[in-house]
């Protein structure tokens, strides 16, 4: 079974600053994927970034990047140059051979102007 | 390129009733998964459909059932509704050989 833990229920950041959201996971699988999804008040779940576990290089998507530490089973999300539109609930999720996404409980990010 | 669509947007039912939610996958996708998201929680996996069959199931009772049609669209049926079934129901689609699931806007179900 896979488990995903997000230890920060809420985070806040000033506009244009950088923030890091934490995530740890546990899995017995060797082949898996990790994701960060964003859920704004509209409740639409939007993919932010994905990481294949077999790749050592950290994924980046514009202002979003991850720090993937496979041995430590850690997968944090860094948001650079934060914008007001980044305010949302962020979910870390894992996906393995059992075909299901396992989500953490989420981190609510507030961006202050 | 149409994304994942779900209907209806909102639904209000009473305890004991039955409900059907619908999902059309993103163009080119053949696999549909359903998730239940209670308020303040992360989504929980209900089941996944591929080639019109249930491929994997999460920890949900048999009151939750589904179907996938030849055009890959899917339905989620919930019988004997309980107050605790009130939640946002999310549909996600993917291509079998790939890993990234794309979500629809969800259906908000309220059980009174």
């Amino acid at each position: 079974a896979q488990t995903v833990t997000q230890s920060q229920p809420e985070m806040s950041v000033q506009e244009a600053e950088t923030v890091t959201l934490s995530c740890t996971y546990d899995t017995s699988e060797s082949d898996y994927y990790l994701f960060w999804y964003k859920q704004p008040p509209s409740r639409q779940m939007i993919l932010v970034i994905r990481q294949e576990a077999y790749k050592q290089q950290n994924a980046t998507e514009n202002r979003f990047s991850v720090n993937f530490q496979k041995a430590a089973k850690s997968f944090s999300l860094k948001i650079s140059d934060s914008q007001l539109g980044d305010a949302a609930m962020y979910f870390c999720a894992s996906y393995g051979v059992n075909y299901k996404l396992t989500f953490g409980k989420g981190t609510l990010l507030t961006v202050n102007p | 390129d149409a994304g994942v669509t779900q209907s209806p947007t909102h639904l209000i039912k009473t305890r004991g009733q039955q409900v059907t939610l619908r999902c059309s996958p993103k163009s080119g996708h053949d696999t549909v998964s359903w998730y239940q998201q209670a308020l303040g929680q992360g989504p929980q996996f209900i089941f996944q459909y591929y080639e019109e069959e249930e491929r994997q199931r999460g920890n949900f009772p048999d009151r939750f059932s589904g179907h996938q049609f030849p055009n890959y669209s899917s339905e989620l049926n919930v019988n004997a509704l309980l107050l605790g079934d009130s939640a946002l129901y999310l549909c996600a689609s993917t291509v079998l050989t790939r890993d990234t699931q794309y979500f629809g806007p969800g259906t908000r179900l309220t059980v009174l």
Side-chain angles (χ1 to χ4, degrees):
Chain A
Q2 297 182 335
T3 61
V4 176
T5 302
Q6 294 179 250
S7 59
Q8 306 155 315
E10 297 184 24
M11 292 282 285
S12 64
V13 63
Q14 291 296 125
E15 198 175 1
E17 297 294 309
T18 296
V19 65
T20 299
L21 307 184
S22 300
C23 172
T24 58
Y25 64 93
D26 193 15
T27 179
S28 57
E29 299 176 20
S30 59
D31 185 17
Y32 57 92
Y33 300 83
L34 298 168
F35 302 87
W36 280 96
Y37 282 91
K38 165 186 176 181
Q39 189 176 45
S42 67
R43 305 300 299 271
Q44 172 88 49
M45 194 72 77
I46 301 166
L47 176 68
V48 175
I49 198 166
R50 55 166 273 183
Q51 173 81 42
E52 295 95 329
Y54 63 87
K55 287 187 177 179
Q56 292 187 341
Q57 185 174 8
N58 290 323
T60 62
E61 285 288 342
N62 301 313
R63 299 183 294 108
F64 299 89
S65 62
V66 299
N67 184 3
F68 175 44
Q69 301 291 327
K70 190 171 184 177
K73 295 184 178 177
S74 170
F75 183 61
S76 61
L77 174 69
K78 185 172 81 171
I79 306 174
S80 304
D81 185 25
S82 296
Q83 300 176 0
L84 295 177
D86 294 334
M89 183 71 85
Y90 285 80
F91 290 98
C92 177
S94 67
Y95 183 81
V97 297
N98 60 359
Y99 310 125
K100 69 175 186 178
L101 275 170
T102 299
F103 287 86
K105 291 188 175 182
T107 296
L108 180 63
L109 178 65
T110 302
V111 181
N112 301 310
Chain B
D1 180 18
V4 181
T5 60
Q6 291 186 244
S7 63
T9 305
H10 296 93
L11 207 51
I12 299 175
K13 293 286 188 178
T14 57
R15 281 178 296 175
Q17 284 189 312
Q18 178 265 343
V19 68
T20 297
L21 311 181
R22 295 176 176 83
C23 171
S24 291
K26 185 177 169 66
S27 178
H29 287 186
D30 58 9
T31 303
V32 173
S33 300
W34 287 91
Y35 295 81
Q36 180 196 66
Q37 186 179 17
L39 197 62
Q41 300 294 319
Q44 297 290 318
F45 175 76
I46 302 175
F47 42 53
Q48 184 181 86
Y49 276 84
Y50 170 69
E51 289 189 340
E52 303 179 48
E53 292 192 358
E54 185 182 288
R55 186 158 165 244
Q56 184 65 259
R57 188 179 184 90
N59 189 25
F60 279 80
D62 291 344
R63 297 187 297 109
F64 290 77
S65 63
H67 188 76
Q68 186 179 35
F69 299 93
N71 66 353
Y72 307 120
S73 66
S74 177
E75 289 182 349
L76 164 65
N77 300 292
V78 187
N79 294 321
L81 284 167
L82 304 174
L83 294 178
D85 295 331
S86 294
L88 180 70
Y89 288 84
L90 296 165
C91 169
S93 73
T94 187
V95 175
L96 176 63
T97 57
R98 300 184 184 176
D99 54 280
T100 302
Q101 297 189 18
Y102 294 89
F103 284 81
T107 293
R108 181 175 299 282
L109 172 65
T110 301
V111 182
L112 302 177

